[in-house]
Amino acid sequence: MTDSALATLAASTTAATPVDAVVEHADNGIHHASGRSQSPRMIGEVVVEMGFADQATVDHAIEIARAQGRPSGMVLVEQGVLTHEQLARVVGERFGVDYVDLAVFDLDMGAINLITAHAARRFQAVPIGFAPDGALLLAMGDPTNVLTIDDVAMMTGRRIRPVAASVEELGLLLARLARMDESIDDLVEDEPEVLEDDGTEPEDSGDPDAPVIRLVHSIIAQAVEQGASDIHLNPEEGDTRVMYRIDGVLVPAATVKRRMALGVVSRIKIMADMDISERRVPQDGRFALTLEGRRVDIRVVTLPLVGGEGVMLRILDRGAAIEDLGSLGMPPIALERFIHAIEKPSGAVLVTGPTGSGKSTTLYAALHKVNDGKKSVLTIEDPVEQRIAGVKQMQIAPKAGVTFDVGLRSMLRADPDVIMVGEIRDRETARITVEAALSGHLVLSTLHTRDASKTLGRLIDMGIEPFLVSSAVDCVVAQRLVRILCPHCKRPQRLSKAVRAEYDLGEGTIYEPVGCSRCSGTGYRGRVGVYEVMSISDDMRPLILERAAPQAIAAVAAREGMGTLRDDGLEKVREGITSIAEVERIIGSIV
């Protein structure tokens, strides 16, 4: 490296505030060099000094590097002496720049979107955040590349502070940014005129590459790519925290700084056809976009919170494939009972569980099973999450007077064989559902209860007479979703005999989560259902008429072979699908 390049690098690092002003906490992913010097040491010296290898090992690697004309750092990595992360820390220490752990650092999407994904790939560098003095933190595999530093400074109009990053982690981030950049094919929306708070038109309102527009698109595209079901934008002390709900758990995704947060919220409200000038009352709306050829509907809710306006986006992927009943994860006996119930010509089949427990997926799989082309199948939903060929689907529209009960009443006059009601929310909908089941229709619907045995009492509490409930309902399914252990990093868990006996785990291998790059460090990837399927038998009907306690009905179901949610969850633990901790998290509280 030339003396002039070293001088330029030193100027770029010393022009910013001291690193201690940036790193307030050790766990934010940035590690600062112990000493800043314009006369960097040899890389081998730093490796030994940091305790990553002994002098003999380093000297041997340096000899090989000189003989091959290659960088000694890469030789150390290839020999397994250093990891990519350790090499990046060594480089940072050598040249007196910070090291950033991109797997931990809270990425600022506003900073990332200051340059395009194409430019980031060309430079092999990504802006990841800002220092308190406004300097742009630029993650680089080679923080000594002053040409890249100067080019990014010119493109963004900001002073640059280079930070060393692992080449491996930087490559993963660049690949993710490239996929997000390519995934926005077309927005299925009209572009209304955007006005600033003072009524003037912003300079970038018509520019599709404007930072705010690119930022909103990339947040949504990244969420869809990672399989998130929801996006939360939470205002916190001026900045806005972006969280994704992945596999039922909220995980931090990025931070939008105060200067862009208002524009991001306004942009989302424009896309959802909301009033951008109204920030004091909750609003809701929706919009759609096409990602990689798949139509994705997004419902938007805004809330006036103490720290600012919060936004929640529910992602409804209409391009998602309808799962086959056999792939849902039902135990064989439970699956047999469920199929037997939905193949009957009439009766009510109810699926219960909290929001986000996969009830709609189960109903869609059931519709796919009964939709044989010989029956008239109608649905009324809010919203229509998946389109099914051959099924007549209706979207409720409360503002137009089309509610579940109104739509269901109309459906009964349309000669249906099978009716699917998205949710039983009130007494009137429950009453019509039961009447439809008793009048020769197969009715599929959902209800919010904790387990199968409490569902019958819930209908009675809603005002349905016990004799109608006992005659109409044929089957109740309770379900939850548990996360699946990542197959790439799960490891056997050591358990005491007492714990194995408590959970009836036997002597088989039980696994626990670890965390790797493929599962974003969570130890889990994807979810599977756990179920209990209760067929309404002749022994249960007298108990329903007597308004018996749910425990009495559950006892009869257990004698007849019904496995509980906990039973199914622990069976999936024995099969190595999930962990004890996950079953306790999801199911333990209801037992």
Side-chain angles (χ1 to χ4, degrees), residues 269 274-275 278-284 302-304 309:
K269 291 169 76 172
M274 297 178 179
D275 184 354
E278 181 56 77
R279 298 171 185 161
R280 298 167 298 176
V281 297
Q283 297 187 62
D284 61 84
T302 63
L303 298 172
E309 200 166 13

Side-chain angles (χ1 to χ4, degrees), residues 482-483 503 524 530 565-573 578-589 591:
V482 296
R483 291 180 294 173
Y503 291 98
Y524 298 94
V530 292
L565 289 167
R566 188 177 182 84
D567 293 336
D568 190 20
L570 292 178
E571 181 59 30
K572 287 180 170 60
V573 170
T578 190
S579 67
I580 297 175
E582 180 67 3
V583 171
E584 286 292 344
R585 184 181 74 88
I586 296 297
I587 303 172
S589 61
V591 179

Side-chain angles (χ1 to χ4, degrees), residues 539-555:
D539 290 340
M540 291 182 191
R541 299 190 194 279
L543 295 176
I544 299 172
L545 293 173
E546 296 168 4
R547 299 175 185 258
Q551 293 81 354
I553 296 174

